[in-house]
Structure formats: structure tokens, C-alpha cells
Amino acid sequence: MLAITKSVALQGLDGYIVSIQVDISSGIPQFEIVGLPDASVKESKERVKTAIRNCQWEFLSRKIVVNLAPADIRKEGSGFDLPIAIGILVASQGEKNDVVQNFLENTIIVGELSLNGKVEKVKGILPICVEAQKLGYHKIILPKENANEVSMISGIDIFPVSHLEEVMEHLNGEGILKKLQAREVDTKNTGVYPFDFSEVKGQENAKRALEIAAAGGHNCLLIGSPGSGKTMLAKRLPSILPDMSWDEMMEVTKIYSIEGYTSENKPIIKIRPFRSPHHTITATSLIGGGRIPRPGEISLAHYGVLFLDELPEFPQNVLEMLREPLEDKVVTISRLNASTNYPCNFILIASMNPCPCGYYASKYRQCNCRPEQIRKYLNRISGPLLDRIDLYVEVAHVEYNKLDSKEVLETSAKIKKRVNKARILQRERYQSDNIYTNAELTPKLLKKFCQLDWKSKKILETAFQKLGLSARAYERILKVARTIADLDGKESIQEMHIAEAIQYRSLDRKYWREES
Amino acid sequence: MLVVWLYGIDTSAHQGAIEVGGKTIAVLGSGFDYIFPEENKSLYKKILQHDGLVMTEYSPDTKPKSTNFLERNRIISGISIGVLVIESAYRSGTSVTARIAKKQGKLVFALPHEIDNKLGIGTNRLIQNGAILVTKVEDIIQQYPFLKYDKNKEVDILQIEKEKKQPDKRYCEIFNLILEKPLSLDEIYKKSSKSVGEINHILLMLELDGYIRKTSEGYVCI
Ligand SMILES: [Zn+2]
């Protein structure tokens, strides 16, 4: 007897229909599953067999072959337990009526089985559910514990189940599965970010730079002595980024769902992520990958902020791997028979000390580094990576009496308003250019949208001569000036915009490397 | 004819002479093939363009040596009618040159300095030893009856300095703050009425115009 059930496999965030074909025939009793990775097969076999027996059904002593097709799609995870078990039970019952046939053909089934037949939750339920709907399916059976994470999805009937028996009773006409009530999701009410710029006293220069970074989507390097507040500043960047759109929330939540970071209580990621991996992180955990490709920190920072504290401490090879994802906003993990994509559109904020001892330019401690030591330290970060950082910002210690002052500090909400305005200008300007922010401007688009008047040109020329700016600074300055002009509500870049932008290239300037 | 020569500030002296329409002579401590430092090449060109003179007693292939500079100073004082010492630290080469000038029968002038100024130790001592104390141009002119001095044509050096040091009006507020003491951007923000963006703009303009410089201590006036 043959029975076929349907499920969904994920490759990155994309879903593929998996057809689970169960054939039971007379012959030497055996149980084979083909089309799953070895390790998963063994585990799945045990769970399915035991679950069926523990539910008082007979696990037939026949030749049982389960084939998961197509074979060339990588299938991982435990979500195929349930469709396999159902396939076996249906096949062992012999004749199927049309209703059952029809139901199985049109229903996606996902769920892990525990040994007593209970249906356990699986990772990645959101993308699975969304993809099932996209692939034209109108019904999905999934673990009850996952239900909350998909309740906002419309266009597909969701049947949450907590036990294998519920499904079988439904198929045998002894019970009816209850459809999940679609839940209205309050998309307006986005989450509240736990940190606010009004908690940061002083640091006006750094705050302004981060406002520019937020407005134009620019990557930013904070340079300052230990304890000057670099982490405190970086942590607050998401609080001034525009609120996430529904689509953005869904995309981020999908990634978190795959990693199992969503739950009944936290079904949707509503605030922009802030990820801060330690410098001991492996390339795989940062970029994504592994035997079974999984998203890395850069994808968990999607639509949010990736903060790399102490940038020069990160191994060279790890930093090198950041270059492509920074450019492409997507990371491709290639495996022998398939490649997996995860989105990774994040703002990079990196921090570093100004020199090996950390106290170059500090008013509080003497820096003992020799110029060549400083140069060597700065050179640890490769040029190509620096090329992808638009803003270099010096962060200085705030004196105690300034911390003590009672001035009213600007809230993140207020800064965010300005950021939003600048973003709207950019979106309108780049409507037909397939980009959203100034940071994404290509050399060709730079020429089109960052025209300079003669005064600004003169300033830029003089700056290159007198400050010894390196060549890589040029495009970065134009992009940042564009954003400053947008914050200023000006359609053309003016003198003061270009002048301010030049100030955020401190690492490119001569004095840093030559004097001390 | 104005001859200026003190190493260290000789560039500004030459510049000053050219700016007020005077003529100036530069005496090198090396051969013409070894002009040092490199930037001086353009300065010497300028001197020649303004009917000045660049001379040396060394053959073209002589490399610059510190002893050469002391030697050439005897030529400078030799072709001058007098020597004005602006700054001179204790036991510096300048003091030696002043002594040579005196031997050559030239008048030695010196600018007085505050007593705790290291660069004034030498000049103050010169004054003690009979150099003519100078506070204004007349102090020098008076000593040479053959010099015609047109008061109306007097160029107030200090005024020129002041004008030169006065940046664009829009930048003055910030400039004056830095004039008091070196400041970081955040410190300037505290003291001024401007936004960070505006301050950054102004600081860059001041720096490009050569009024201030960014150092590890913050922004300082040059
Ligand atoms: Zn140091």
C-alpha cells in the first residue's frame, strides 16, 4: 500500500515541498527511510516507530520504505516525524477513501514526535508556514506549541495539533481538527527599544555621527579609549533607526524562527536587532554556515545593528569574510549540492582603541605607544574592510562634572523623527534606482545624485591636499555629505555638508599616523 | 634692504619681507643641489621673483650640515648692517652669531621676552650685554641716519599679523574659543551656541585656512 504526505523543507528562508512516500509491502520485515541525512534518519526512525507503538497502533512487521522526495534537497530537522508517522499509519490501514486522499494531498504536515506520540514544536515554523502558503497550499498541520508564532499569517488554514492521535482521529472521521483563529497583529505598536540616547550625557559629536549613520544606513567606526562609552553609544543606535515595517519584521522573525529564538511569548521580532558577538567568535558563527547551513550573527542582525567591539582583536580571516556580505547584503553558503542564502542587511558599528595602549589623545592618561606601533595597530584592519566604513568617529571620555550636569537630553524618539525624514527623502530620490539609502550609492549613482558646487569642490580638494586624506575617503565623503544634506532637508549638497562629512574621516588623516 | 636669517623663523621673516614689498636675501648652509628642507625651494623661487637674492659659499654638491649653518651666519651678519635677534634659547647658535656680528662691528638688536620664556633667555642676555632693545620698528631705524623713514608708509606689522590671524567673521566665535585653550569638539559644543554639524563645518574651514590644527589634545590655534 502506498500513502503520500506533504511537508516543507527550508533552504535558507526558501521553502520546498517535500513529498513523503510510504510504501508497505510484504517481504522481510524492515523499516527504511531514504532521502534524509543519515543521522536524522536513525533518530527519526526510532521516534516514529516508538510513537506509533505507544499509541496502541500496530507497527506492521512488513517491509516499510519511506522516501522523501526530491532527493537532492537537503532536509534537516525533526519536522518530518509527523508526516512520516501519518503516512505509515494511513498506508497500513489499506484502502483510503477520497476524502483522506484529498486531505493528505493538499495539507502540509510538520511536527516532531516524542516517544509517546506527542507533537513537539519545531524550529523555523514561520518560514515553513509562509512558504507553504506561497507554494499554493491552503492547509497546514503543525505543533500546537508553535501556533502562536504563525497566528498572524493569513491565506492558509492552520491546524495546531498536540498529539499524533488527533490527526488520525480526524482522518478516520472520529474527530475534527480545529482551525486556528487568525490573530490580528498590531503592526503599529512596535516594540520599545530598551535603551535611549537621553541616557547618554555629553558625547555630542558621537551622537551626531550615529544620527547620520542611522539616517543614511552608514557603517561606522567608533574610536576611543577604554571606558569612553563606545559600547553604550552603539547599543543605542537601533533606538533611532526607523520603525520596522511589517515585511521587515516578518523577514527578521523568520531568521530567528529558524534558530529557535521565537516562542509562544515572543512570536514576532518587533524591534531592530542589536547583535554584539565577542571577538573570539568563529567565522561560521559570525557569517553563517556549518554542516547544516545555519544563519550567523550577521543574519541575526538583519535590518538591525551588528556591533563588533574591539575590531582589531577579531581574527583577520573572520573580518575578511565580512566584506562580501557587507556589499551584497546577503550571505551565500555553498555546499556540495546546494547553496543557501540568508539575508544580512545590517549597519556595522565597530569600535576600537586609538592605539595599542588605548590612550592616544586621552586627557587622562599618557599614551606610551610609538608611532610605528600605532600604525601597525591601525593596519590590522584591512583596507578593503575600512573601505566599507563611511564614518570614523572619535569618542572621548566625558568628564565627571559633565556627567553631573542637569541639562535635558534629547530623546531617541526626537532624533528618530529627523532620521525618518531623511530616509523618506532618500526613498523618494532612489525610487527607480533599486536602493533605499545613501550608503548603497554606487559610483554611477554618486555622480548622478552627489553633484558638488564649485565651493564644495574647492573645499574637498583643499582637504585632500592639506589633510592628506587617503584616496578611499572620496566616495565615503560624498555619501555622508549626501546624508547630512538630507538631514538638513536640502536637495543639493552644500559647503557645510561636505565640510562636516570630511570631519568623519579622522583615520584617513595624516596626523593620526605621523604624530604622537 | 632687509636681511633676515635666523634659522627656525627665517621662513616667516622672508615671507614677511616679501609681503610688505621688501627685498630679502637668503644665505644657504649647503650647496644649491641640496636645498633643505624641501619646502624652501618654493620660498627661494619667490624670493628671486621679488628681486631678492639666494646665495651660498658652498659648491653645489655640498650637503647640509649643522656646522655649515653656524658658518653661514657669519656671512649673513657680514653682508648686513645689523642683526635682530627674535628668539634665542640659552647657549644657542644664535647667541654665537650675535657675538660674531658684534665682532664684525655690526649693531645687534634683540626683542625682550618674559623672564620665564625659554626662547627668551638668549635675547634677554644679549640686551643685558648691550644689544639694542627693540619694541618697534623705529628702534632700529633710528640707529641708521642714512635710512629714510616715511612714517606714512609704515606698515604696522602687528596689524598685518592681526588681520592675518582673523578668520572669516562666521568662524570667529569658535576661533576665539580655541584661541583661549585647546578644546575638543564636545568642549566647544558646550561653550558655543552652535550645533555639532555647524561646529564641525567651521572647524574644518578654520583648519583648511590654516588657523587651527587638530592634535591629540584637541583643536589648537597655530
Ligand atoms: Zn597608546
Side-chain angles (χ1 to χ4, degrees):
Chain A
M1 272 297 137
L2 178 74
I4 298 174
T5 56
K6 300 281 172 78
S7 195
V8 169
L10 288 177
Q11 211 155 64
L13 294 182
D14 299 326
Y16 298 89
I17 294 297
V18 173
S19 194
I20 296 131
Q21 303 152 355
V22 181
D23 184 64
I24 304 184
S25 58
S26 50
I28 306 158
Q30 58 169 326
F31 179 24
E32 286 301 336
I33 300 180
V34 288
L36 266 183
D38 293 349
S40 308
V41 173
K42 217 175 153 202
E43 290 171 10
S44 193
K45 249 161 118 179
E46 284 315 308
R47 284 194 301 263
V48 168
K49 204 174 184 176
T50 320
I52 288 178
R53 280 192 181 136
N54 282 338
C55 294
Q56 316 299 324
W57 285 301
E58 194 187 350
F59 192 86
L60 293 181
S61 295
R62 301 268 187 85
K63 183 179 176 189
I64 302 175
V65 178
V66 180
N67 178 34
L68 281 75
D72 59 345
I73 287 178
R74 179 176 271 282
K75 304 167 211 73
E76 43 137 324
S78 43
F80 299 108
D81 288 0
L82 186 60
I84 290 172
I86 290 168
I88 292 172
L89 287 171
V90 169
S92 14
Q93 283 173 351
E95 286 299 308
K96 301 180 288 284
N97 64 39
D98 289 349
V99 181
V100 172
Q101 183 92 11
N102 195 298
F103 185 83
L104 292 182
E105 222 160 80
N106 296 302
T107 307
I108 297 295
I109 303 173
V110 185
E112 180 185 321
L113 283 177
S114 68
L115 299 182
N116 59 10
K118 193 174 170 292
V119 178
E120 304 283 356
K121 69 172 191 172
V122 297
K123 285 178 179 178
I125 196 66
L126 179 66
I128 288 173
C129 207
V130 169
E131 291 296 293
Q133 189 248 343
K134 262 203 228 159
L135 290 162
Y137 284 77
H138 300 298
K139 288 187 213 127
I140 182 167
I141 290 175
L142 49 75
K144 198 166 208 158
E145 269 186 81
N146 284 127
N148 221 4
E149 298 167 54
V150 292
S151 58
M152 64 292 190
I153 295 174
S154 54
I156 185 164
D157 290 343
I158 297 165
F159 299 97
V161 295
S162 52
H163 201 280
L164 173 59
E165 276 172 352
E166 288 173 39
V167 187
M168 288 318 292
E169 280 166 8
H170 178 87
L171 291 175
N172 295 336
E174 293 156 5
I176 286 172
L177 287 180
K178 269 215 206 98
K179 206 170 87 181
L180 179 73
Q181 286 301 318
R183 193 162 48 104
E184 277 297 313
V185 187
D186 187 359
T187 56
K188 286 262 158 31
N189 179 19
T190 54
V192 177
Y193 193 76
F195 306 104
D196 198 282
F197 270 110
S198 61
E199 297 151 353
V200 183
K201 304 204 169 183
Q203 307 289 18
E204 298 306 325
N205 189 34
K207 282 192 212 169
R208 165 73 174 171
L210 289 175
E211 178 177 338
I212 295 168
H218 301 289
N219 298 323
C220 180
L221 176 62
L222 303 173
I223 307 150
S225 305
S228 55
K230 291 168 286 185
T231 305
M232 185 171 72
L233 285 159
K235 230 183 217 166
R236 282 161 179 78
L237 181 61
S239 72
I240 58 168
L241 289 171
D243 289 331
M244 278 203 280
S245 69
W246 176 245
D247 288 345
E248 285 175 336
M249 283 185 206
M250 289 306 280
E251 225 174 293
V252 174
T253 306
K254 278 183 197 173
I255 299 167
Y256 279 69
S257 171
I258 287 175
E259 283 294 272
Y261 290 163
T262 47
S263 63
E264 272 186 277
N265 301 327
K266 194 186 169 192
I268 306 173
I269 309 294
K270 287 180 163 184
I271 55 172
R272 294 192 181 267
F274 177 84
R275 303 294 297 186
S276 166
H278 191 252
H279 58 71
T280 52
I281 193 172
T282 62
T284 307
S285 315
L286 182 65
I287 308 297
R291 197 177 52 81
I292 297 160
R294 284 176 42 189
E297 285 291 332
I298 59 171
S299 294
L300 292 169
H302 187 45
Y303 289 137
V305 173
L306 179 72
F307 178 52
L308 299 183
D309 199 9
E310 305 298 345
L311 189 66
E313 302 299 324
F314 281 79
Q316 288 268 2
N317 66 318
V318 173
L319 292 184
E320 284 303 300
M321 291 182 76
L322 267 178
R323 285 164 45 189
E324 264 180 64
L326 271 173
E327 203 72 7
D328 304 340
K329 317 264 180 224
V330 61
V331 55
T332 304
I333 302 157
S334 294
R335 286 291 169 274
L336 203 58
N337 43 11
S339 63
T340 307
N341 292 321
Y342 289 111
C344 58
N345 188 356
F346 58 89
I347 295 182
L348 172 68
I349 304 291
S351 85
M352 63 185 282
N353 291 334
C355 65
C357 85
Y359 293 95
Y360 177 74
S362 167
K363 288 195 173 172
Y364 302 95
R365 267 209 233 173
Q366 180 74 33
C367 162
N368 299 318
C369 308
R370 292 190 307 275
E372 64 269 24
Q373 281 178 312
I374 295 180
R375 210 171 309 129
K376 210 170 146 200
Y377 177 77
L378 295 176
N379 284 345
R380 272 211 234 157
I381 305 159
S382 74
L385 182 63
L386 284 179
D387 275 345
R388 283 157 183 85
I389 296 177
D390 293 347
L391 295 152
Y392 301 152
V393 186
E394 286 154 74
V395 182
H397 248 287
V398 177
E399 281 161 37
Y400 183 72
N401 59 15
K402 281 184 191 159
L403 288 173
D404 210 29
S405 68
K406 290 191 183 70
E407 57 179 325
V408 184
L409 295 156
E410 204 170 34
T411 60
S412 290
K414 223 172 148 193
I415 304 172
K416 195 200 289 199
K417 267 191 192 154
R418 296 195 294 265
V419 169
N420 277 332
K421 270 192 193 161
R423 287 261 181 154
I424 289 168
L425 284 178
Q426 294 168 63
R427 214 172 308 138
E428 283 168 0
R429 186 182 315 122
Y430 305 134
Q431 244 166 14
S432 51
D433 297 298
N434 216 8
I435 62 169
Y436 297 97
T437 58
N438 294 328
E440 298 166 76
L441 282 167
T442 59
K444 203 175 141 205
L445 291 174
L446 270 175
K447 274 204 189 100
K448 189 169 161 197
F449 293 115
C450 300
Q451 293 284 348
L452 297 183
D453 55 24
W454 68 270
K455 264 188 182 169
S456 309
K457 261 186 203 153
K458 188 90 193 114
I459 291 174
L460 198 51
E461 264 170 38
T462 319
F464 267 86
Q465 279 167 17
K466 291 211 175 166
L467 307 180
L469 293 180
S470 63
R472 72 162 67 101
Y474 184 75
E475 281 184 11
R476 311 280 127 186
I477 289 171
L478 286 186
K479 286 182 189 183
V480 171
R482 182 62 267 171
T483 301
I484 295 171
D486 286 337
L487 278 170
D488 200 13
K490 297 278 169 16
E491 208 22 68
S492 61
I493 298 176
Q494 291 164 10
E495 244 184 293
M496 59 219 182
H497 307 137
I498 206 93
E500 190 184 349
I502 293 167
Q503 295 285 44
Y504 298 116
R505 299 305 299 179
S506 54
L507 262 195
D508 283 331
R509 293 167 67 144
K510 255 191 198 156
Y511 90 96
W512 202 296
R513 284 151 197 260
E514 293 186 352
E515 270 182 27
S516 73
Chain B
M1 179 168 66
L2 180 65
V3 179
V4 276
W5 42 272
L6 289 177
Y7 188 65
I9 58 162
D10 55 352
T11 306
S12 14
H14 287 304
Q15 295 269 24
I18 293 168
E19 263 169 46
V20 298
K23 292 172 188 171
T24 180
I25 300 175
V27 185
L28 307 189
S30 60
F32 282 126
D33 290 349
Y34 291 93
I35 292 186
F36 173 85
E38 187 68 18
E39 301 95 72
N40 277 359
K41 270 186 189 159
S42 63
L43 174 70
Y44 294 150
K45 265 188 200 137
K46 227 175 175 182
I47 291 174
L48 295 174
Q49 279 161 9
H50 288 82
D51 296 334
L53 182 67
V54 180
M55 58 187 279
T56 180
E57 64 175 314
Y58 299 106
S59 60
D61 59 344
T62 310
K63 290 181 184 169
K65 262 198 306 187
S66 57
T67 50
N68 291 1
F69 286 96
L70 268 179
E71 257 179 50
R72 72 136 195 201
N73 286 354
R74 83 182 196 287
I75 298 187
I76 294 176
S77 56
I79 59 171
S80 304
I81 55 172
V83 173
L84 169 62
V85 184
I86 305 290
E87 280 176 345
S88 155
Y90 179 63
R91 280 176 172 273
S92 73
T94 319
S95 313
V96 180
T97 306
R99 217 167 41 236
I100 295 169
K102 216 170 165 187
K103 248 192 213 159
Q104 291 171 340
K106 313 286 176 172
L107 287 178
V108 177
F109 302 86
L111 233 56
H113 287 262
E114 276 174 37
I115 53 174
D116 55 353
N117 183 345
K118 277 189 193 139
L119 292 172
I121 295 175
T123 51
N124 288 350
R125 177 157 302 184
L126 284 172
I127 294 167
Q128 267 178 347
N129 294 337
I132 298 159
L133 188 148
V134 173
T135 59
K136 52 187 188 297
V137 186
E138 286 94 328
D139 294 337
I140 300 173
I141 307 276
Q142 273 174 28
Q143 301 294 329
Y144 304 102
F146 58 91
L147 282 181
K148 282 195 280 301
Y149 179 47
D150 184 354
K151 185 106 184 151
N152 295 327
K153 274 183 81 183
E154 180 190 350
V155 192
D156 189 338
I157 303 269
L158 288 177
Q159 192 56 40
I160 288 179
E161 276 297 291
K162 231 173 165 185
E163 271 164 21
K164 218 172 85 186
K165 278 284 173 207
Q166 210 56 30
D168 192 302
K169 272 201 200 93
R170 292 169 296 164
Y171 312 147
C172 277
E173 183 199 335
I174 307 284
F175 178 71
N176 288 333
L177 286 175
I178 302 169
L179 209 54
E180 279 172 36
K181 64 170 188 172
L183 292 174
S184 73
L185 195 140
D186 274 348
E187 287 166 332
I188 296 169
Y189 175 80
K190 281 252 153 191
K191 294 179 180 219
S192 88
S193 57
K194 298 197 159 24
S195 73
V196 175
E198 288 168 317
I199 295 171
N200 256 322
H201 167 213
I202 293 169
L203 287 175
L204 184 83
M205 299 313 282
L206 285 172
E207 187 171 4
L208 293 185
D209 290 344
Y211 291 109
I212 62 168
R213 207 159 59 93
K214 195 176 179 190
T215 70
S216 51
E217 273 162 62
Y219 288 93
V220 296
C221 284
I222 295 175

